[in-house]
Amino acid sequence: MFLLYESEGKMAKNAKNIINSYNNSNREKKKKVFELFHLLVFLEISNFKKNKIVPNEPGDFIIKNNNEKYMVEVTTIFGNKEENIKMNNILNNIFNFGNDDKKDLETKFVNISMRNLFLKKLKDKQEKNYMDGLNVDKSFLLIVTGEYDNCSITGSWVLKFLQKNELIFKKSFDKIWILDYFASGKDGGPIVMNDFYNEFVKYKKIIED
């Protein structure tokens, strides 16, 4: 599905077990399972150490690593309705939930709509106070997206199509993480950015120089 090979099934099972243990509401369970799956993918690819993950509000999850605790808010940016259905179908197949739409929809990458959605979600997330009364060492925002038909060899879409004057960064999170499916130049698998803002600044400097 996402070219994660033998790890994909293991992460899906782990995500289900964790959410079933902590979340008794069926209404949000599927959404939380998908969010946790994305987080597990990111943590594995980035080799981020963890002992335990706990669903949480505010923020989506708390990562516990020895004596440290980290809050992670997860948000997805997959574009228009058709692209969201396609991504949901991929995730439904991984978890054996059954498809929301039986059609094999072709995803189309729309630069303007994806950019506008990214900026809107980033603004919305950074205006909320996730740290109020929360005793954690660091906070992270994980943005989950996909390349579709953009060639990531010349730069992931979140680096290539966003402009400096569009990206207003506030220090609401210690770091912004990016999980970008279909972006690996080697095999089409996912790639990660451990510090999106710094990578964005470096990329723009290289392009402009």
Side-chain angles (χ1 to χ4, degrees), residues 83-101:
E83 288 163 357
N84 274 304
I85 291 173
K86 181 73 173 182
M87 292 303 301
N88 279 335
N89 284 348
I90 292 174
L91 290 164
N92 283 331
N93 285 331
I94 290 173
F95 284 90
N96 296 316
F97 286 150
N99 287 348
D100 292 334
D101 193 312

Side-chain angles (χ1 to χ4, degrees), residues 10-26:
K10 180 180 178 182
M11 284 186 285
K13 183 178 180 180
N14 194 14
K16 274 186 178 181
N17 290 339
I18 291 173
I19 297 303
N20 286 338
S21 298
Y22 288 92
N23 191 333
N24 294 319
S25 171
N26 289 326

Side-chain angles (χ1 to χ4, degrees), residues 45-107:
I45 295 176
S46 61
N47 295 315
F48 193 96
K49 293 182 180 180
K50 65 186 183 304
N51 297 125
K52 190 175 183 180
I53 299 177
V54 180
N56 191 73
E57 290 293 338
D60 290 309
F61 302 100
I62 297 292
I63 299 174
K64 298 180 180 180
N65 182 33
N66 297 327
N67 294 323
E68 294 187 313
K69 292 196 299 184
Y70 314 112
M71 185 276 289
V72 183
E73 172 72 6
V74 181
T75 190
T76 58
I77 300 173
F78 291 130
N80 60 29
K81 180 181 178 181
E82 286 74 22
E83 288 163 357
N84 274 304
I85 291 173
K86 181 73 173 182
M87 292 303 301
N88 279 335
N89 284 348
I90 292 174
L91 290 164
N92 283 331
N93 285 331
I94 290 173
F95 284 90
N96 296 316
F97 286 150
N99 287 348
D100 292 334
D101 193 312
K102 298 299 182 182
K103 293 185 296 183
D104 185 19
L105 296 168
E106 179 184 355
T107 57

Side-chain angles (χ1 to χ4, degrees), residues 59-194:
D60 290 309
F61 302 100
I62 297 292
I63 299 174
K64 298 180 180 180
N65 182 33
N66 297 327
N67 294 323
E68 294 187 313
K69 292 196 299 184
Y70 314 112
M71 185 276 289
V72 183
E73 172 72 6
V74 181
T75 190
T76 58
I77 300 173
F78 291 130
N80 60 29
K81 180 181 178 181
E82 286 74 22
E83 288 163 357
N84 274 304
I85 291 173
K86 181 73 173 182
M87 292 303 301
N88 279 335
N89 284 348
I90 292 174
L91 290 164
N92 283 331
N93 285 331
I94 290 173
F95 284 90
N96 296 316
F97 286 150
N99 287 348
D100 292 334
D101 193 312
K102 298 299 182 182
K103 293 185 296 183
D104 185 19
L105 296 168
E106 179 184 355
T107 57
K108 294 183 179 180
F109 189 89
V110 183
N111 299 345
I112 293 176
S113 63
M114 293 286 276
R115 184 182 71 224
N116 291 343
L117 185 58
F118 182 99
L119 294 171
K120 181 182 184 302
K121 287 204 173 186
L122 185 61
K123 183 175 182 291
D124 291 345
K125 294 296 181 183
Q126 298 214 79
E127 286 181 348
K128 294 180 181 179
N129 186 4
Y130 292 97
M131 301 300 289
D132 188 22
L134 196 59
N135 181 25
V136 295
D137 297 284
K138 290 183 179 180
S139 62
F140 304 107
L141 173 62
L142 172 59
I143 297 176
V144 185
T145 187
E147 277 307 311
Y148 302 121
D149 61 358
N150 172 57
C151 177
S152 60
I153 299 299
T154 57
S156 175
W157 84 264
V158 294
L159 300 178
K160 186 186 297 182
F161 300 124
L162 292 170
Q163 304 302 317
K164 271 188 176 180
N165 61 347
E166 293 177 318
L167 193 63
I168 301 172
F169 185 78
K170 298 178 182 178
K171 202 67 175 177
S172 298
F173 300 92
D174 289 285
K175 285 185 181 179
I176 295 176
W177 291 342
I178 303 287
L179 171 62
D180 192 353
Y181 288 112
F182 323 121
S184 170
K186 178 183 177 182
D187 57 11
I191 63 171
V192 299
M193 296 182 205
N194 292 290

